[in-house]
């Protein structure tokens, strides 16, 4: 009997232990389920991957683009073709009647000798200018040192950029500053001996020139250009009405044609000029005869004013536009053709993807931005929408509005003001 009772007790104890283990397992599973549920809800609530794009300043232009052909009042300048030409004026420089546009040398050796003489004369002028500071105190020494450093840096930069012409032009300025610094610092009393040495070199070089050059004299007043393209007597104001789309395209394709080899350059007699171009008919709505136009030509960032003197149909898809200008630009006198933009309007502001725009409960337009882990709604004032992007006013610093460089959310779900995103 005792043995049977002991077995029964052991069995009951084993069952209790089994129940306790089962209960602990159940509670562990319940706790694990609750923990997983809570974590998943937190992740769902707070973790929401988004894509952002910085709000950047943007300039938008509404324009029509074309290739224009320059038409000017031009006349070729001739010479007999003998000798070597050395121009004594820059392109676009206005010269009076009977002025010299160039000097004609009998040989290239004579020209090279003269160029060397001119260089030595410039050095003499630099040294004589520096001698004006003889007797000055050294209060300017630091200023000269700074200028020398800046000048040297610019020369090196020009060399790095392979702008050797500009580097060479700065050489005499650098020599002038160095010479003045030596005078002021007391390292040199004067440059008398150096000047005499240079004058001796000039005398020696001058004796080697076989004959004196002669001046090429202009017979009329105007802006001189040292090149010709063959269109000077072809493209005149009188032929504008006869220009066709095919002819304009031919000029654009061949902006230089055969011309007289004896032409040394040309004279542009007037500061006024015209440009002819072909524009799409469907982009000409804002252009009419007499309209004032804002035009950007070539790589020039400045805008110049022109007047639509003529606009007429060429075919159902194209129009001929003649623009008159009364402002002289030296950088626009060399080429016969150039890319142009006729600007209708310019806008500036912050550019954002149109897909990033949302509306609040009151129907006010704005975007969501991400700041740290927080999402905020920021209002916007739309300026213009173009394709997939919208230009809005730069409201930087205005409370509740989009600011420059805000991280605009372009992709994301369940966005709302004040939401936390763990990303």
């Amino acid at each position: 009997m005792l043995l049977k009772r002991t077995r029964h007790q052991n069995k009951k104890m084993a069952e209790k232990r089994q129940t306790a283990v089962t209960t602990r397992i159940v509670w562990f599973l319940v706790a694990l389920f609750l923990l997983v549920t809570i974590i998943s809800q937190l992740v769902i609530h707070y973790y929401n991957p988004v894509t952002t794009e910085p709000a950047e300043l943007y300039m938008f232009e509404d324009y029509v683009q074309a290739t224009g052909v320059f038409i000017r009042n031009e006349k070729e300048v001739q010479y007999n073709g003998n000798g070597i030409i050395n121009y004594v004026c820059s392109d676009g420089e206005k010269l009076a009647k009977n002025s010299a546009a160039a000097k004609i040398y009998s040989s290239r050796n004579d020209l090279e000798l003269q160029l060397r003489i001119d260089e030595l004369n410039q050095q003499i002028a630099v040294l004589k200018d520096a001698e004006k500071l003889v007797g000055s105190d050294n209060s300017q020494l630091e200023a000269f040192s700074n200028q020398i450093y800046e000048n040297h840096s610019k020369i090196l930069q020009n060399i790095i950029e392979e702008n050797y012409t500009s580097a060479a032009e700065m050489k005499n300025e650098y020599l002038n500053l160095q010479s003045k610094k030596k005078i002021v610092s007391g390292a040199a009393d004067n440059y008398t001996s150096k000047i005499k040495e240079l004058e001796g070199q000039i005398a020696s070089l001058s004796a080697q020139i076989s004959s004196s050059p002669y001046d090429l004299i202009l017979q009329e007043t105007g802006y001189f250009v040292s090149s010709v393209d063959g269109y000077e007597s072809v493209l005149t104001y009188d032929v504008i009405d006869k220009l066709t789309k095919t002819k304009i395209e031919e000029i654009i394709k061949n902006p230089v044609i055969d011309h007289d080899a004896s032409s040394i350059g040309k004279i542009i007699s007037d500061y006024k000029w015209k440009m002819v171009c072909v524009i799409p008919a469907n982009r000409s709505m804002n252009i009419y005869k007499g309209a004032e136009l804002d035009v950007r030509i070539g790589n020039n960032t400045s805008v110049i004013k022109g007047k639509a003197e003529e606009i007429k149909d060429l075919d159902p898809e194209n129009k001929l536009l003649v623009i008159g200008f009364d402002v002289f630009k030296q950088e626009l006198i060399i080429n016969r053709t150039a890319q142009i933009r006729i600007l209708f309007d310019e806008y500036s502001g912050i550019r954002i993807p149109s897909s990033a725009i949302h509306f609040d409960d009151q129907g006010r337009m704005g975007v969501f931005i991400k700041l740290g882990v927080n999402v905020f709604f920021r209002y916007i004032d739309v300026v213009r929408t173009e394709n997939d992007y919208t230009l809005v006013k730069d409201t930087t610093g205005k409370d509740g509005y989009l600011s420059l460089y805000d991280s605009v959310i372009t992709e994301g779900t369940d966005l709302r003001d004040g939401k936390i995103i763990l990303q």
Side-chain angles (χ1 to χ4, degrees), residues 139-256:
S139 60
Q140 303 178 65
L141 195 58
E142 184 177 355
F144 283 130
S145 296
N146 292 335
Q147 291 177 54
I148 289 169
Y149 175 79
E150 291 176 8
N151 189 273
H152 184 259
S153 299
K154 290 178 181 178
I155 292 174
L156 288 177
Q157 186 61 38
N158 281 323
I159 293 173
I160 292 171
E161 295 174 357
E162 299 183 0
N163 191 354
Y164 302 118
T165 301
S166 295
E169 289 173 351
M170 297 181 69
K171 182 182 67 174
N172 282 330
E173 182 183 351
Y174 183 74
L175 175 62
N176 182 262
L177 291 170
Q178 289 280 17
S179 302
K180 287 180 176 179
K181 182 182 177 182
K182 288 182 178 180
I183 291 290
V184 171
S185 66
D189 296 327
N190 57 65
Y191 295 110
T192 304
S193 59
K194 182 62 177 177
I195 291 173
K196 286 183 177 180
E197 178 188 335
L198 294 174
E199 289 174 340
Q201 292 181 34
I202 291 173
S204 175
L205 294 171
S206 298
Q208 298 176 49
I209 296 178
S210 61
S211 61
S212 298
Y214 70 89
D215 292 334
L216 182 72
I217 303 299
L218 299 179
Q219 300 302 314
E220 54 190 284
T221 300
Y223 302 92
F224 182 76
V225 182
S226 61
S227 61
V228 295
D229 55 33
Y231 287 105
E232 284 74 18
S233 59
V234 177
L235 284 178
T236 64
Y237 294 156
D238 295 335
V239 305
I240 291 178
D241 289 338
K242 302 174 185 177
L243 290 175
T244 63
K245 181 173 181 287
T246 301
K247 180 59 178 177
I248 292 172
E249 289 174 344
E250 181 184 331
I251 296 169
I252 293 170
K253 185 178 180 180
N254 301 291
V256 179

Side-chain angles (χ1 to χ4, degrees), residues 320-356:
L320 176 74
L321 174 63
V322 181
I323 311 173
F325 298 90
D326 60 2
V327 56
F328 188 80
K329 292 279 188 179
Q330 286 184 308
E331 63 269 26
L332 301 179
I333 62 173
I334 302 298
N335 298 324
R336 180 59 61 180
T337 66
Q339 286 287 321
I340 68 168
R341 285 186 178 185
I342 302 169
L343 306 177
F344 297 136
D345 217 337
E346 287 184 305
Y347 309 91
S348 63
I350 297 174
R351 192 177 76 157
I352 59 173
S354 299
S355 59

Side-chain angles (χ1 to χ4, degrees), residues 35 50 61 66 170 200-201 213 252 279-280 290 296 313 329 387 412:
L35 181 62
V50 297
E61 293 180 341
M170 297 181 69
Q201 292 181 34
I252 293 170
I279 62 172
R296 183 175 288 126
D313 294 331
K329 292 279 188 179
N387 298 324

Side-chain angles (χ1 to χ4, degrees), residues 86 103 105 108-126 171-172 195 197-213:
N86 181 37
K103 288 184 177 293
Y105 291 83
R108 183 163 298 280
N109 183 62
D110 283 354
L111 173 57
E112 291 175 353
L113 288 169
Q114 185 59 54
L115 292 176
R116 178 57 181 159
I117 290 171
D118 293 342
E119 183 180 347
L120 294 175
N121 277 321
Q122 289 177 1
Q123 292 182 26
I124 290 174
V126 164
K171 182 182 67 174
N172 282 330
I195 291 173
E197 178 188 335
L198 294 174
E199 289 174 340
Q201 292 181 34
I202 291 173
S204 175
L205 294 171
S206 298
Q208 298 176 49
I209 296 178
S210 61
S211 61
S212 298

Side-chain angles (χ1 to χ4, degrees), residues 58-64 283 286 293-296 300-305 341-349 383-384 391:
Y58 185 77
M59 177 71 75
F60 174 83
E61 293 180 341
D62 184 15
Y63 62 88
V64 59
R283 293 289 287 135
N286 296 326
L293 303 177
D294 290 331
V295 184
R296 183 175 288 126
N300 202 314
T301 57
S302 62
V303 174
I304 59 176
K305 294 286 186 180
R341 285 186 178 185
I342 302 169
L343 306 177
F344 297 136
D345 217 337
E346 287 184 305
Y347 309 91
S348 63
V383 174
R384 183 184 179 91
L391 194 70

